[in-house]
Amino acid sequence: MLNINDLQKVLILDYGSQYTQLIARNIREMKVYCEIHPFNMKFEEIEKYNPKAIMLSGGPSSVYEEGAPSADKRIFDLNIPILGICYGMQLITHLFGGEVAPGTKKEYGQCSMEIISSSKLFEGLENNTIVLMSHGDSIAKLPEGYKVTAKSDNTPFCAIENEDKKVWAIQFHPEVVQTHNGDKIISNFVFNIANIRPDWNMDNFINMKIKEIQEIVGDKKVILGLSGGVDSSVAAVLINKAIGKNLKCIFVNNGVLRLNEADKVIKLFSEHYDIELIYADASEVFLSKLDGIEDPEKKRKIIGHTFVEVFDEEAKKIDGAEFLAQGTLYPDVIESVSFKGPSDVIKSHHNVGGLPEKMNLKLLEPFRELFKDEVREIGLKLGMPEDIIYRQPFPGPGLAVRIIGNITKERVELLQKADDIVVDEIKKAGLYRKLWQSFAVLLPIKTVGVMGDLRTYESVCAIRAVESQDAMTANWAHLPYEVLDKISKRIINEVKGINRVVYDVSSKPPATIEWE
């Protein structure tokens, strides 16, 4: 049985690109293990990680600006292939005596690239291909010993390499869908250049993780906060498989769950998996604390703090508990680390950043290295129902961040009913698994309507549906008009208190998927 130390791995050093996670996802889908680490990862740690190849990501910096992120040049003496992408290419050029200069024409968006010299990186590609550029600076002079292998109209050095030094570099982003055959370029680097074995698979992971959990936990008890979502549900089943009755799950009803969510979760895990489930109905406590709060970040913090208080109270009743299990995923870990110093917080993650010291529990995060699709694959291999495995993501603060403005019990009930109709009609149309998320949002405004010859003045409901692969970017979904029509009619007819339905046609970026 393999463990991660036995795997042939790729190391991705992150220079701040918004696309870095896409590189990792692409490589993982090739059944090769990789991790993202900050660009300033210590050389000794890199040696310990023992990568078979290194990739330097893109980033927003210029190599000449004060404090620009760099790299320990000793990585180029490890005798392993290195691929620089965008800023990574400029950094390689700068480190080895070439010149980087502000481009006379900046390139943002797709452009046509011509391959002008044979390269292992471009094997199997046509000589002309479409790539995504996103850069202001460009290479003005090559480092000694490097040759150019591709160019575009505005960029004479789209790709360069020094095969003897095992260094390749490209100015474009192969990890995004806007680059045609970008996955083939990454595959060429991983398999044809680095000769890495595709030995990362979820069967290995399950066996490895069960053994690891057993060794770490021993005969101690583990507490898990079960939400009914994919991550915590799969984590519960996996940990239960490892330690059985020593797993104690706590399900907290925070008052802003989906319609009948509590009943569904209790039935599934108590009856089908024989997992000990403690149900704490704290809905009134949460709703009283949220009363009058309109700021979304305050809502998140109130829900997070109250959850810990309720959870802690229940956890104290469990003798011998030493571990808290969480369904933390790799994107949560990456997004909660600032690789370049202080950065803006878009939204606080509810399951990353440690625990209050008073809980005195050690963290157990079995999926900390995984992406969502890998967790889903584990769930299927563990025989879990597809209804759970393919559930769309649901925010930790629940419907609280889908109720814009003040939260009351009445407004929660309105949104629960409207949201249930959205999900029901999306499923009936066979679209549920094609969408990343689809849900209703309750707006803080009322509009005039006419129902049965009577004037109404009621709430507005927005429908949000997006397509995405990883939630890093998302496009609004072009739902069929007949589906939108059914959703609208049902909500207006069946949910007393809503008389208008609108559809959100904004993508991420610039919008976020959730409204708050």
Side-chain angles (χ1 to χ4, degrees):
M1 180 179 68
L2 290 176
N3 61 51
I4 286 178
N5 291 330
D6 297 325
L7 299 174
Q8 296 193 335
K9 306 181 288 287
V10 175
L11 171 64
I12 302 166
L13 294 179
D14 184 20
Y15 289 85
S17 169
Q18 61 182 317
Y19 304 129
T20 304
Q21 283 196 40
L22 299 182
I23 304 172
R25 280 181 54 85
N26 202 309
I27 295 172
R28 292 277 188 94
E29 286 169 1
M30 297 173 187
K31 305 302 181 187
V32 171
Y33 188 75
C34 65
E35 287 183 10
I36 299 170
H37 286 271
F39 68 88
N40 54 1
M41 183 181 186
K42 292 180 179 178
F43 180 71
E44 293 73 22
E45 293 175 358
I46 293 174
E47 284 186 307
K48 186 177 179 181
Y49 181 77
N50 191 28
K52 283 277 288 181
I54 294 175
M55 299 176 76
L56 312 182
S57 84
S61 302
S62 168
V63 294
Y64 293 120
E65 70 185 28
E66 186 176 350
S70 189
D72 190 318
K73 284 187 72 172
R74 287 178 291 178
I75 65 173
F76 296 93
D77 298 324
L78 291 173
N79 196 33
I80 59 174
I82 292 177
L83 174 64
I85 296 173
C86 198
Y87 180 82
M89 173 182 183
Q90 296 167 12
L91 179 61
I92 288 169
T93 300
H94 178 61
L95 289 174
F96 289 96
E99 291 181 12
V100 180
T104 53
K105 290 185 178 180
K106 301 180 187 301
E107 281 189 308
Y108 297 99
Q110 288 179 309
C111 73
S112 178
M113 181 185 78
E114 181 185 359
I115 299 170
I116 59 174
S117 179
S118 63
S119 170
K120 290 182 180 179
L121 200 61
F122 298 136
E123 282 183 6
L125 270 67
E126 299 289 337
N127 283 343
N128 287 283
T129 189
I130 301 297
V131 299
L132 182 81
M133 293 285 193
S134 182
H135 64 101
D137 293 352
S138 296
I139 308 304
K141 177 185 174 185
L142 290 182
E144 186 177 345
Y146 284 73
K147 73 171 185 176
V148 58
T149 56
K151 67 176 185 177
S152 72
D153 288 343
N154 292 331
T155 304
F157 306 120
C158 277
I160 64 174
E161 64 183 57
N162 185 330
E163 191 169 357
D164 292 338
K165 297 286 187 181
K166 297 188 176 181
V167 178
W168 287 256
I170 51 180
Q171 187 60 74
F172 59 91
H173 289 274
E175 67 271 27
V176 298
V177 294
Q178 290 91 338
T179 293
H180 297 184
N181 295 310
D183 55 347
K184 175 64 175 172
I185 294 170
I186 295 175
S187 174
N188 281 341
F189 177 72
V190 171
F191 297 122
N192 296 353
I193 293 174
N195 296 311
I196 295 177
R197 274 190 315 263
D199 51 13
W200 171 246
N201 64 70
M202 292 305 101
D203 287 316
N204 277 338
F205 180 87
I206 290 170
N207 293 330
M208 176 184 74
K209 195 56 66 171
I210 287 174
K211 182 180 178 184
E212 179 184 296
I213 291 169
Q214 290 170 339
E215 290 175 350
I216 291 172
V217 174
D219 60 355
K220 304 295 189 301
K221 291 185 176 68
V222 175
I223 301 172
L224 183 144
L226 191 63
S227 70
V230 178
D231 308 329
S232 66
S233 297
V234 178
V237 174
L238 178 69
I239 296 170
N240 182 60
K241 193 174 178 68
I243 62 172
K245 291 297 183 180
N246 280 337
L247 171 66
K248 312 294 179 183
C249 292
I250 299 174
F251 177 60
V252 177
N253 186 342
N254 60 14
V256 283
L257 302 175
R258 282 176 161 159
L259 191 66
N260 301 321
E261 180 77 0
D263 294 338
K264 292 174 184 176
V265 172
I266 291 168
K267 183 175 182 180
L268 176 68
F269 286 92
S270 297
E271 295 182 10
H272 292 276
Y273 287 105
D274 194 28
I275 291 175
E276 184 175 334
L277 182 61
I278 300 162
Y279 175 54
D281 185 356
S283 51
E284 296 297 332
V285 175
F286 280 87
L287 290 174
S288 65
K289 290 189 176 186
L290 288 167
D291 187 32
I293 304 299
E294 296 190 2
D295 179 79
E297 196 62 18
K298 286 182 180 177
K299 289 179 186 177
R300 289 173 178 269
K301 283 183 166 54
I302 287 170
I303 290 172
H305 293 155
T306 307
F307 174 85
V308 170
E309 289 171 5
V310 174
F311 191 91
D312 188 34
E313 200 60 39
E314 295 298 329
K316 286 176 181 175
K317 302 172 186 176
I318 301 172
D319 292 330
E322 290 194 11
F323 294 89
L324 174 70
Q326 292 188 152
T328 307
L329 299 187
Y330 198 37
D332 297 332
V333 175
I334 296 167
E335 289 185 7
S336 296
V337 175
S338 173
F339 288 167
K340 294 193 65 184
S343 60
D344 290 337
V345 175
I346 297 173
K347 294 176 184 174
S348 55
H349 284 286
H350 65 279
N351 60 345
V352 177
L355 297 164
E357 292 181 7
K358 66 176 183 177
M359 290 192 75
N360 199 30
L361 295 171
K362 303 168 193 170
L363 270 180
L364 186 67
E365 297 174 309
F367 301 149
R368 193 176 176 87
E369 307 100 337
L370 303 186
F371 289 99
K372 175 79 75 175
D373 54 347
E374 294 173 315
V375 174
R376 287 195 169 113
E377 187 180 343
I378 288 172
L380 292 175
K381 289 183 178 295
L382 292 172
M384 296 180 68
E386 291 191 2
D387 279 354
I388 290 289
I389 297 308
Y390 291 106
R391 287 194 79 179
Q392 293 176 355
F394 189 64
L399 298 181
V401 291
R402 294 178 181 173
I403 297 174
I404 313 303
N406 192 30
I407 297 173
T408 64
K409 188 174 183 180
E410 293 72 29
R411 296 192 79 206
V412 171
E413 290 174 354
L414 273 185
L415 184 56
Q416 284 177 330
K417 292 172 184 175
D419 184 71
D420 194 59
I421 290 170
V422 172
V423 174
D424 184 49
E425 289 299 331
I426 291 291
K427 285 183 175 179
K428 284 179 180 176
L431 298 171
Y432 187 77
R433 282 174 57 176
K434 296 177 182 178
L435 299 171
W436 180 263
Q437 279 176 273
S438 49
F439 54 87
V441 180
L442 191 63
L443 304 188
I445 56 174
K446 292 188 175 184
T447 64
V448 173
V450 179
M451 292 184 179
D453 296 327
L454 295 176
R455 178 184 183 277
T456 62
Y457 190 58
E458 296 178 334
S459 296
V460 179
C461 172
I463 308 304
R464 180 72 159 144
V466 298
E467 297 170 334
S468 179
Q469 297 212 339
D470 46 33
M472 298 300 292
T473 60
N475 294 320
W476 66 273
H478 294 235
L479 294 182
Y481 288 151
E482 56 267 27
V483 175
L484 288 171
D485 184 51
K486 286 180 182 178
I487 291 172
S488 176
K489 285 177 177 174
R490 281 193 61 190
I491 289 175
I492 291 171
N493 288 330
E494 297 175 27
V495 184
K496 183 174 174 54
I498 295 176
N499 69 356
R500 191 178 298 268
V501 175
V502 298
Y503 189 54
D504 183 349
V505 292
S506 48
S507 295
K508 176 186 179 180
T512 54
I513 294 176
E514 297 288 346
W515 277 43
E516 289 191 340

